[in-house]
Amino acid sequence: MADEIMTIREVASYLKLAEKSLYRYALEGKVPGFRVGAAWRFRKSDIDAWISKNIAEQRKAG
């Protein structure tokens, strides 16, 4: 399901990051996400696109 909505815990696990780091990245706007009340949520399709974009930028730079 491409438009699956994921929690901080799920995305942190998916990206192999600490939840605390992901929360900070989300607050800084470095990772695409949105808030529902006080909780952060992420669309899996947005995270996958963000990963692809970062990989492409790293290939161009390196």
Side-chain angles (χ1 to χ4, degrees):
M1 176 186 273
D3 281 338
E4 177 183 357
I5 302 298
M6 301 172 75
T7 64
I8 282 268
R9 178 170 287 162
E10 292 168 333
V11 176
S13 175
Y14 186 59
L15 296 176
K16 309 287 193 268
L17 287 174
E19 289 178 36
K20 195 173 193 177
S21 295
L22 180 59
Y23 181 77
R24 187 176 71 245
Y25 296 154
L27 281 172
E28 294 171 355
K30 294 181 179 178
V31 175
F34 59 96
R35 287 184 127 174
V36 178
W40 280 94
R41 296 293 182 259
F42 306 84
R43 277 193 190 101
K44 186 173 185 302
S45 58
D46 291 345
I47 297 298
D48 290 338
W50 175 79
I51 291 168
S52 295
K53 179 183 171 211
N54 282 314
I55 290 170
E57 287 174 0
Q58 288 178 8
R59 286 183 180 156
K60 286 181 184 178

